[in-house]
Amino acid sequence: NEKHSIYEDSQAVMKIVEIGRNMITACERNVLFPKDDLMWNRAVTAGNKLTTLGTTWGIKSVSDLTKEEGLAVQEFIANKDKYI
């Protein structure tokens, strides 16, 4: 039973989905990229995409994010204590 990618591991998927939800919440609270509309939009989009990981219609891997969306995720993860 060979694993092909991270999304087959439900625990890893749930962690990533949780990051997506937390990113969306941080954007709704206007604490993630509050003065940068472009990055704020990218963060919301990335958060939404992350919440679809592991679903039949969603992204198949975090590498499906655009470079800019990936940067938004990296910023959130690096400083999540100040956003959550």
Side-chain angles (χ1 to χ4, degrees), residues 15 19 22 74-84:
K15 276 290 205 195
I19 289 168
N22 288 336
Q74 289 173 19
E75 166 61 26
F76 177 78
I77 291 171
N79 299 291
K80 68 180 179 195
D81 291 342
K82 86 178 175 187
Y83 299 130
I84 296 178

Side-chain angles (χ1 to χ4, degrees), residues 34-66:
K35 294 178 178 7
D36 186 338
D37 289 346
L38 184 59
M39 284 305 293
W40 185 92
N41 280 311
R42 288 173 174 160
V44 171
T45 301
N48 282 326
K49 285 182 178 180
L50 292 179
T51 64
T52 70
L53 186 67
T55 64
T56 54
W57 67 87
I59 61 173
K60 299 303 175 207
S61 164
V62 291
S63 63
D64 292 342
L65 298 175
T66 67

Side-chain angles (χ1 to χ4, degrees), residues 7-23:
Y7 67 86
E8 292 179 25
D9 178 349
S10 62
Q11 232 179 356
V13 169
M14 290 313 297
K15 276 290 205 195
I16 293 168
V17 168
E18 181 182 4
I19 289 168
R21 285 192 196 122
N22 288 336
M23 285 182 70

